[in-house]
Amino acid sequence: MASHGESIIREPLITGKDITYAQITNDILRPVENKPTKAWWIGFTVASLGALLWVVAVSYTFWFGIGAWGLNKTVGWAWDITGFVWWVGIGHAGTLISAVLLLFRQNWRNSINRSAEAMTIFAVICAATYIVAHMGRPWMAVYSLPLPNQYGSLWVNFNSPLIWDVFAISTYFSVSLVFWYTGLLPDIASIRDRASGITRRIYSILSFGWTGSVKTWQRFETVSLILAGISTPLVLSVHTIVSMDFATSLEPGWHTTIFPPYFVAGAIFSGFAMVQTLLLVARKVLGLENYITMFHIESMNKIIILTGSIVGVAYITEFFIAWYSGVEYEQYAFINRATGPYWWAYWSMMSCNVISPQLFWIRKLRLSIPFSWFLSIVVNIGMWFERFVIIVTSLHRDYIPSSWAMFYPTWVEVSIFIGSIGVFFTLFLLFIRVLPSVAMAEVKLLLKGSSEQAKKKVLAHSHVDPAQAEFYKESLEKFDSVEIADYAKL
């Protein structure tokens, strides 16, 4: 909870003047209660066409088998597993923002956690579809879980990386879904109290009888902290398990202990980039500039710098360890990545993931909304290339030169990937139409201490060090939702 005695030098987390609790509710619920805008319909139409393409491509795969893909005897993992790992990585930022920042009492999470959590749910759904499709016989997916049968318990093969993924993804999805929905309860109750007719009935059922009593809030905060504590290890464990799909093999380029921390850093890197991609558009289209401020955008850009730098160090470490190991197969695997037939993918990865995030050291670029949005897309393109490089370039030239082969994707694989992006955005656009994209209850906690108007009162009626007051005013120049002229009167 925000302190009423917050330092004046801290930048506000809510901007605008004459903001009230009622106005926060009205601003955040406007997209839910009003008819969809033209921009929403355009986005939903495009996303739905992408989802339709996904249905066609997946149906084609199920009908003809994974022989419809470009896989061959040498490259048995390719575009599909690349997409799977990419989507799992994108889902990481939601849990990090929601759980880890909650435990560390970082109040700037309050405006962005709801959309990030929803992004996690939808990204994991997209990732799970790749696992089912890659099984070849999707109707057998149910046997990835231990099931009772007439011969006793039918246990799965726990030595299989596929089973590790099933347990990791199902656990991650379940906990994230419960955490997300628990945080929604007070906001769903607010929609219920403002609605009428069948809409009120639906939201009444979804709110689980929320009353807003003191006891209810006490239990809500207790459950939120417990779920945050459970979710935090998942930030590290889920992508660690995904990385062990590769690291536990003997394949050159995969058999390395750096993969778990390297994959986790990369997942957070791509996850925050996707949060930026979504929220920079949402704050403008939904009119949420007062609640998703330049402070939030700059903070996420700083995390992108940090995690991008960690990923860059991991790339360099991989090359050093390959050289230091003295294993010629390992050395060749990395030389082949940089200079072989797939050199273009490797250097695209390096440019997008290592070089481009360093541009955020320049403050002007870090505070530029168009540049931040563009670079968030560049980062996710680079992270897709990273997974492609790790998977395909390590497989296409193995120990036996006579088995060397090139992988070329078919239209089916490309359509499934593009279609999965359509599914993701379709789900997200539906989400912002039926549920608040910003956590109203949590944002309201910041109004009395961390809002711009609260700090104005401190400047006007309290004894404040002039140097601190000047420092605070200078920090407001970067906010696109602050009227600097108002401070001349104080």
Side-chain angles (χ1 to χ4, degrees):
M1 182 177 291
S3 170
H4 288 194
E6 187 175 270
S7 172
I8 190 63
I9 65 174
R10 287 186 178 273
E11 297 172 19
L13 299 177
I14 300 176
T15 58
K17 50 188 176 181
D18 302 324
I19 302 290
T20 62
Y21 292 119
Q23 185 178 340
I24 292 174
T25 302
N26 292 334
D27 290 344
I28 294 175
L29 291 186
R30 189 180 300 115
V32 178
E33 296 177 332
N34 294 347
K35 291 183 178 180
T37 62
K38 183 179 180 180
W40 186 90
W41 276 116
I42 293 173
F44 183 73
T45 302
V46 174
S48 298
L49 291 175
L52 180 62
L53 177 64
W54 179 85
V55 171
V56 171
V58 170
S59 300
Y60 188 90
T61 299
F62 286 177
W63 186 260
F64 291 100
I66 59 175
W69 299 349
L71 305 177
N72 53 58
K73 186 177 72 173
T74 304
V75 185
W77 286 12
W79 197 285
D80 51 310
I81 301 300
T82 300
F84 161 70
V85 181
W86 188 74
W87 278 118
V88 173
I90 284 176
H92 258 59
T95 306
L96 180 75
I97 291 171
S98 299
V100 179
L101 296 185
L102 174 63
L103 293 177
F104 282 95
R105 303 296 184 183
Q106 295 297 306
N107 289 324
W108 64 271
R109 66 175 280 283
N110 292 15
S111 297
I112 61 176
N113 66 322
R114 176 67 50 74
S115 294
E117 291 166 9
M119 180 196 76
T120 292
I121 302 298
F122 306 145
V124 172
I125 290 173
C126 292
T129 61
Y130 275 100
I131 289 294
V132 175
H134 191 259
M135 293 179 70
R137 294 182 291 173
W139 52 90
M140 304 292 284
V142 67
Y143 290 108
S144 60
L145 298 173
L147 295 171
N149 64 88
Q150 64 267 35
Y151 301 108
S153 297
L154 181 64
W155 293 101
V156 296
N157 179 14
F158 288 104
N159 292 324
S160 169
L162 176 63
I163 299 304
W164 306 346
D165 289 337
V166 169
F167 278 85
I169 299 303
S170 60
T171 302
Y172 188 56
F173 179 79
S174 302
V175 175
S176 298
L177 182 63
V178 172
F179 194 20
W180 174 63
Y181 195 79
T182 300
L184 274 166
L185 289 177
D187 292 354
I188 292 176
S190 296
I191 303 175
R192 173 201 65 194
D193 296 340
R194 294 160 61 98
S196 59
I198 186 65
T199 303
R200 183 184 180 90
R201 180 64 177 164
I202 293 172
Y203 283 106
S204 179
I205 296 171
L206 294 176
S207 65
F208 285 110
W210 178 277
T211 62
S213 66
V214 173
K215 192 66 177 178
T216 304
W217 277 107
Q218 287 176 340
R219 289 173 175 168
F220 172 78
E221 293 183 1
T222 301
V223 170
S224 295
L225 285 174
I226 292 173
L227 288 173
I230 296 173
S231 301
T232 298
L234 293 178
V235 175
L236 301 176
S237 67
V238 173
H239 224 57
T240 295
I241 292 172
V242 171
S243 74
M244 288 167 63
D245 294 354
F246 306 96
T248 53
S249 73
L250 298 178
E251 193 72 31
W254 290 3
H255 188 60
T256 172
T257 55
I258 198 177
F259 265 22
Y262 158 29
F263 269 49
V264 170
I268 296 171
F269 181 50
S270 60
F272 268 90
M274 183 59 81
V275 172
Q276 288 281 57
T277 302
L278 295 173
L279 290 187
L280 289 177
V281 176
R283 77 187 288 267
K284 185 66 177 178
V285 175
L286 303 180
L288 299 173
E289 290 91 345
N290 287 336
Y291 310 107
I292 303 173
T293 68
M294 293 304 299
F295 178 80
H296 297 96
I297 295 169
E298 185 180 20
S299 297
M300 288 190 283
N301 284 340
K302 288 177 180 177
I303 293 176
I304 289 174
I305 295 174
L306 173 63
T307 50
S309 300
I310 294 173
V311 168
V313 170
Y315 293 161
I316 297 170
T317 304
E318 278 190 308
F319 265 90
F320 172 77
I321 294 300
W323 166 79
Y324 190 72
S325 69
V327 179
E328 59 182 343
Y329 300 106
E330 194 77 17
Q331 292 171 351
Y332 178 77
F334 284 92
I335 293 172
N336 182 54
R337 285 182 183 180
T339 62
Y342 292 107
W343 64 269
W344 49 271
Y346 178 82
W347 292 109
S348 296
M349 172 192 79
M350 294 295 287
S351 300
C352 295
N353 294 347
V354 181
I355 299 173
S356 64
Q358 305 309 316
L359 295 174
F360 276 145
W361 286 106
I362 303 172
R363 188 171 186 271
K364 185 176 181 180
L365 296 179
R366 193 167 67 241
L367 298 176
S368 169
I369 292 177
F371 183 79
S372 296
W373 188 78
F374 170 75
L375 199 62
S376 69
I377 296 175
V378 168
V379 165
N380 270 314
I381 291 173
M383 289 307 295
W384 186 92
F385 273 114
E386 179 203 282
R387 280 63 182 253
F388 180 84
V389 166
I390 289 174
I391 295 168
V392 175
T393 62
S394 297
L395 289 175
H396 87 111
R397 289 184 174 178
D398 58 11
Y399 290 102
I400 307 175
S402 61
S403 298
W404 289 3
M406 292 291 290
F407 164 77
Y408 300 100
T410 65
W411 70 269
V412 182
E413 290 165 290
V414 177
S415 298
I416 289 176
F417 177 68
I418 296 175
S420 68
I421 297 175
V423 171
F424 175 81
F425 280 103
T426 299
L427 293 173
F428 189 82
L429 287 167
L430 289 173
F431 155 70
I432 63 175
R433 278 291 303 140
V434 299
L435 293 169
S437 56
V438 173
M440 289 187 296
E442 297 184 44
V443 168
K444 288 175 182 178
L445 295 175
L446 307 175
L447 186 60
K448 292 296 184 181
S450 299
S451 65
E452 182 192 0
Q453 65 185 30
K455 293 179 183 291
K456 275 185 179 178
K457 291 180 181 178
V458 173
L459 287 173
H461 305 295
S462 303
H463 176 69
V464 177
D465 181 8
Q468 290 187 351
E470 194 60 32
F471 180 87
Y472 172 72
K473 292 176 183 178
E474 289 177 0
S475 71
L476 294 177
E477 293 178 359
K478 70 181 182 184
F479 286 79
D480 58 351
S481 53
V482 171
E483 297 181 14
I484 302 296
D486 292 347
Y487 287 84
K489 307 170 187 176
L490 298 177

